[in-house]
Amino acid sequence: MKRLHSFILKSFLGPLAFTFFICMFVLLMQFLWRYIDELVGKGLEWTIIAEFLFYVSATLVPMALPLAILLASIMTFGNMGENYELTAMKAAGISLQRIMKPLIILIILISLGAFYFSNYIMPVASLKTTTLLIDIKKQNPELILKEGIFTNDLPKFSVKVGEIDKNTGMMYNLLIYDHRENLGNTDVTIADSGTMVTSKDKLTLNLTLYSGNIYQEVKQKPRNRNKNHPSRRIKFQVFKQNISLPGTDLKRSDENRYKNSYRMLNLKQLDQQEDTLKFKLDEDKHIFAKSLSSKYFQKEPRNLLQDSVKSVLVKQKILDADSLFSNLSLLKRQTTISYALDKGRKTRETISRKNNELSAQVKWQRKFTNEWHRKFTLPFACFIFFFIGAPLGAIIRKGGLGMPVIVSILFFIIYYIISMTAERFSKELVIEPVWGMWMSSLVVLPLGIILTYKATTDSSVFNIENYIDFFKKINPLNLFKKKDA
């Protein structure tokens, strides 16, 4: 049995590693395709890009690992079924459960490792990825000039070039807007030709212009945009200027600014943050209810005269609202109704506005609850997908990357759609977080149980001939033929 277990483990570990890296590569390419505009043209060093891709790869493990387990299990048992190795094992009296036993132990260990990864490593990777992505977005891009198009890559300048000689680097028909004073288009330079050369340290841009004019609006305080202001024109044959560049070094921001986000916390921190949010929400509800009640429903007397009137009314026991209202004159009745309607509208607007604020707080709190459940859904998904893939491979008996890939992607898409939809419902407060985060697992779990049972009993689930024979039996034409006979 030790040799058999070693053979099964070797047959599974190879496809698992192969499919895991394939899934990671596909998901990473999808991520790069989404954020390619943020990375290109920023002058980033390869070490920064490698660091960023490493952190991104760590955040993609929850999607890649379950799919890799599903693919590897289908391929492993599909290959053994196609090569009649499963048949030989069953003929020797070894059941499918005993064949799967070493892999079940391995999947349990992988699930425990996935839980540890999701609880301790994923928050750090998410924090690093988020911080680095924000820093990259803030990084000023390299200056890339295109003919006939305004370029705003140069800080505080807007440049348009009519034509560029690629051999000499000379530019023609330049139009430059200087926005360093933040006063709009008050400083414009027009030149017939010119060059732009970056210094070796990439901190200064040496601008040389030939045969042009500088149009400047004279500064006046206060400046009225609706009136004309004096301006001056400076004509030049050669104009040189050094413009400071921000440099290509990436400026790192403080990670503590984002460490309290729900994706950057482990289970213990999520519990603490969720308790804090619940306490704050309950406190806001209590304060609002108290202020609303004292402001609109229990209005206190404003002076001593009202106190005396109230005491007299209490003694005479005529505090009935209907009787008080009926004793008023018509004009006072109309005034009272108008006043009550105005107070009612204001109360409704106040309640509606506060309800939106409280709903936003609840939605933010719900994200922490969903993230808490996500720590457990990843290892459970690995466990479920194995019990779908292993019996499915034993049933279809097809190895390689053909049928297993199609079946795996189909099951994973169904699982992913259910997961994303249910999680969205949970975020929008339609369903509870437990159902939202575990809905996909609860839907797929019975499928794994059924497939395991079918594979254990050697049921031909995917035998098309059985379904064709079944439909032939229920064909109405065959029934009429039997009656005629």
Side-chain angles (χ1 to χ4, degrees):
M1 291 300 293
K2 291 184 179 180
R3 289 186 177 181
L4 179 62
H5 291 169
S6 177
F7 167 74
I8 295 174
L9 288 173
K10 289 180 180 178
S11 301
F12 179 77
L13 289 175
L16 178 62
F18 174 74
T19 54
F20 177 74
F21 285 109
I22 290 295
C23 294
M24 288 292 295
F25 177 78
V26 173
L27 294 174
L28 188 59
M29 290 300 103
Q30 180 188 10
F31 181 87
L32 289 177
W33 181 263
R34 181 180 177 183
Y35 290 99
I36 189 66
D37 294 336
E38 306 293 341
L39 302 176
V40 175
K42 295 298 183 72
L44 300 174
E45 298 182 0
W46 70 270
T47 54
I48 300 295
I49 298 176
E51 180 185 0
F52 179 68
L53 294 180
F54 175 76
Y55 293 138
V56 171
S57 300
T59 61
L60 297 176
V61 170
M63 289 187 63
L65 186 59
L67 181 58
I69 290 176
L70 179 61
L71 267 169
S73 56
I74 293 179
M75 291 174 61
T76 301
F77 283 85
N79 287 327
M80 289 193 295
E82 188 176 11
N83 297 328
Y84 299 101
E85 293 170 345
L86 282 178
T87 305
M89 294 178 192
K90 291 180 180 179
I94 304 175
S95 63
L96 183 62
Q97 287 83 354
R98 294 182 65 186
I99 298 173
M100 295 170 58
K101 183 178 178 180
L103 295 182
I104 293 175
I105 297 174
L106 176 64
I107 292 301
I108 291 175
L109 296 177
I110 292 177
S111 299
L112 294 176
F115 172 76
Y116 179 85
F117 180 89
S118 179
N119 191 33
Y120 294 102
I121 300 178
M122 268 286 293
V124 178
S126 299
L127 178 60
K128 297 287 186 180
T129 302
T130 302
T131 306
L132 193 54
L133 181 60
I134 293 175
D135 294 340
I136 291 174
K137 288 182 178 181
K138 292 179 180 179
Q139 178 76 357
N140 291 315
E142 291 182 330
L143 182 61
I144 301 176
L145 298 176
K146 295 181 180 180
E147 296 179 353
I149 299 175
F150 276 101
T151 301
N152 298 316
D153 295 339
L154 189 63
K156 301 294 184 178
F157 285 87
S158 182
V159 182
K160 181 181 179 181
V161 180
E163 185 180 354
I164 301 176
D165 190 340
K166 296 182 180 179
N167 295 325
T168 62
M170 182 67 69
M171 298 174 291
Y172 300 93
N173 299 325
L174 284 88
L175 177 61
I176 302 174
Y177 287 94
D178 189 347
H179 296 150
R180 285 178 294 182
E181 299 295 332
N182 295 323
L183 296 176
N185 299 326
T186 59
D187 192 331
V188 184
T189 302
I190 299 176
D192 291 338
S193 59
T195 59
M196 292 183 183
V197 180
T198 306
S199 62
K200 293 183 179 180
D201 56 4
K202 296 184 178 181
L203 296 178
T204 305
L205 179 67
N206 300 320
L207 176 64
T208 303
L209 302 178
Y210 303 98
S211 183
N213 295 281
I214 300 175
Y215 300 93
Q216 295 178 338
E217 185 178 314
V218 179
K219 298 180 182 179
Q220 288 184 343
K221 294 182 180 180
R223 184 173 182 270
N224 191 344
R225 295 182 180 271
N226 298 324
K227 294 183 178 181
N228 295 326
H229 297 274
S231 61
R232 61 171 173 256
R233 186 185 72 171
I234 303 174
K235 187 177 181 180
F236 61 86
Q237 294 298 323
V238 180
F239 176 75
K240 294 183 179 181
Q241 185 178 14
N242 295 329
I243 301 175
S244 299
L245 297 176
T248 58
D249 294 335
L250 185 68
K251 298 179 181 179
R252 299 294 187 102
S253 57
D254 188 9
E255 295 180 354
N256 293 326
R257 296 172 56 186
Y258 313 103
K259 68 177 183 179
N260 291 327
S261 179
Y262 58 96
R263 293 188 181 276
M264 290 67 168
L265 305 177
N266 55 33
L267 285 176
K268 184 178 180 181
Q269 294 170 339
L270 286 171
D271 285 332
Q272 294 175 352
Q273 194 70 16
E274 189 175 357
D275 291 340
T276 302
L277 293 175
K278 285 182 178 179
F279 177 78
K280 185 177 182 303
L281 181 62
D282 294 338
E283 187 178 12
D284 289 346
K285 289 181 180 179
H286 177 71
I287 293 175
F288 176 71
K290 186 176 180 180
S291 63
L292 190 67
S293 176
S294 61
K295 187 175 182 180
Y296 293 105
F297 298 104
Q298 296 178 1
K299 200 165 185 63
E300 297 295 334
R302 297 181 181 178
N303 48 46
L304 297 176
L305 179 60
Q306 291 182 350
D307 285 336
S308 60
V309 171
K310 183 178 179 181
S311 61
V312 172
L313 292 175
V314 169
K315 291 180 181 179
Q316 297 179 358
K317 299 181 179 180
I318 56 171
L319 282 177
D320 183 54
D322 294 333
S323 60
L324 289 174
F325 182 77
S326 60
N327 292 328
L328 297 176
S329 63
L330 180 60
L331 180 60
K332 290 186 177 181
R333 288 183 188 180
Q334 293 176 350
T335 305
T336 304
I337 292 174
S338 177
Y339 179 78
L341 288 174
D342 181 62
K343 286 293 182 181
R345 294 190 189 99
K346 290 182 179 180
T347 305
R348 184 179 62 182
E349 293 175 359
T350 304
I351 293 174
S352 177
R353 184 171 58 254
K354 190 62 179 181
N355 185 51
N356 293 333
E357 296 177 2
L358 296 177
S359 297
Q361 293 184 27
V362 174
K363 289 180 179 180
W364 178 247
Q365 176 189 331
R366 183 63 60 87
K367 292 182 179 180
F368 289 85
T369 308
N370 291 343
E371 192 64 27
W372 189 91
H373 287 281
R374 199 191 309 277
K375 306 295 184 184
F376 299 94
T377 55
L378 171 60
F380 194 68
C382 297
F383 196 75
I384 290 178
F385 277 128
F386 172 75
F387 279 97
I388 291 177
L392 195 59
I395 292 173
I396 62 178
R397 298 179 182 180
K398 291 289 183 180
L401 292 174
M403 181 65 71
V405 173
I406 296 175
V407 175
S408 300
I409 293 177
L410 179 62
F411 277 105
F412 188 77
I413 289 176
I414 295 173
Y415 175 85
Y416 187 74
I417 291 176
I418 296 174
S419 177
M420 291 295 101
T421 304
E423 184 177 352
R424 177 60 60 88
F425 286 161
S426 176
K427 289 180 179 179
E428 296 299 327
L429 310 180
V430 178
I431 58 178
E432 292 297 324
V434 176
W435 296 107
M437 299 304 297
W438 291 92
M439 181 68 71
S440 54
S441 299
L442 295 177
V443 171
V444 177
L445 179 61
L447 182 61
I449 297 173
I450 294 172
L451 289 175
T452 304
Y453 172 76
K454 293 293 184 181
T456 304
T457 56
D458 293 327
S459 176
S460 54
V461 179
F462 294 95
N463 191 349
I464 301 177
E465 295 180 357
N466 293 338
Y467 298 103
I468 293 175
D469 294 338
F470 174 76
F471 284 108
K472 284 182 178 179
K473 292 179 182 179
I474 64 173
N475 191 349
L477 296 177
N478 294 335
L479 297 177
F480 285 120
K481 290 179 180 178
K482 290 180 180 180
K483 290 181 179 180
D484 294 338

